[in-house]
Amino acid sequence: MSGNVRLLDETLAAAKSEGRAALIAYLPAGFPTVDGGIEAVKAALDGGADVVEVGLPHSDPVLDGPVIQTADDIALRGGVRIADVMRTVREAHAATGKPVLVMTYWNPIDRYGVERFTAELAEAGGAGCILPDLPVQESALWREHAEKHGLATVFVVAPSSRDERLAEITAAGSGFVYAASLMGVTGTRESVGAQAEDLVRRTRATTPLPVCVGIGVSTPAQAAEVARFADGVIVGSAFVKRMLDAPDDAAGVEAVRALAGDLAGGVRRRD
């Protein structure tokens, strides 16, 4: 069965044709429970997100700040497994028809088996994978299987990436390019900064792929700011924090839905 890379491409192109950036939400699988996490992902998509990244919880998430680390810890203590991640992808995509990717570090895929992981992700209706710690020069095996199964391979670029390195990374990727807005881990910030706009400009010079900005975006105003220059706006910690701060799981799901609606308004803002 083929994955949904084409759906991802069409979704990002549709947002561009509407003169706006796409809204991409991130939520970890298994948080606060497997069932609760599925409901949260569906709420983000129903609320206004165009695409969702489902995080595969990791014990040492080097790119992630304390908010997502806390959620990952809750999911891991709850016994979340890769099968639960696949179930989250399957049910969220089936319920909404929207593209769902997995964001994961390389070690769990390496241990699980590349062919097994890509085949199962495609079967679940997944659109691809974001691999923040997989070096491009070591990615041939992954890319071979991802392409065979119709999955996007999304790599991360950072403000520190030199232009030659950007060209190397973007040439190997598909779906979109994840542009980290600043050096550091995920989390909410007071401002996103000029570094992100410069990184998008330099990345676009190397590729026709959409360039989507994440890390530090948490409010509708910040989403509107980033949407002026990026093809997509990625928000993660703000969604997770709404879940952590909620009095119960149901309230957390509704808080996610409401935030998705507010952020969707931000990426459509014309002022």
Side-chain angles (χ1 to χ4, degrees), residues 123-137:
E123 188 276 330
C129 218
I130 301 163
L131 300 159
D133 67 339
L134 177 63
V136 169
Q137 60 269 27

Side-chain angles (χ1 to χ4, degrees), residues 10-158:
E10 291 170 350
T11 299
L12 294 173
K16 184 175 183 178
S17 73
E18 295 170 14
R20 66 175 179 88
L23 174 62
I24 303 174
Y26 167 94
L27 285 159
F31 167 72
T33 62
V34 174
D35 288 344
I38 291 169
E39 292 307 309
V41 171
K42 291 194 293 188
L45 290 166
D46 288 339
D50 299 288
V51 181
V52 158
E53 304 169 7
V54 172
L56 196 163
H58 195 277
S59 57
D60 185 25
V62 293
L63 185 71
D64 297 308
V67 171
I68 291 175
Q69 286 183 23
T70 298
D72 277 6
D73 184 58
I74 291 168
L76 290 167
R77 285 191 282 112
V80 70
R81 295 289 183 266
I82 288 179
D84 300 313
V85 177
M86 298 300 178
R87 181 186 156 210
T88 302
V89 172
R90 178 180 295 106
E91 295 194 17
H93 172 64
T96 65
K98 292 184 177 182
V100 182
L101 300 99
V102 169
M103 185 166 187
T104 179
Y105 297 96
W106 179 245
N107 181 255
I109 295 178
D110 193 37
R111 292 181 61 186
Y112 198 71
V114 175
E115 169 60 22
R116 181 184 177 194
F117 190 94
T118 52
E120 290 184 8
L121 182 56
E123 188 276 330
C129 218
I130 301 163
L131 300 159
D133 67 339
L134 177 63
V136 169
Q137 60 269 27
E138 298 174 19
S139 67
L141 178 65
W142 164 267
R143 287 187 285 125
E144 174 191 340
H145 288 286
E147 186 173 352
K148 180 173 76 171
H149 289 291
L151 299 169
T153 298
V154 179
F155 289 113
V156 179
V157 299

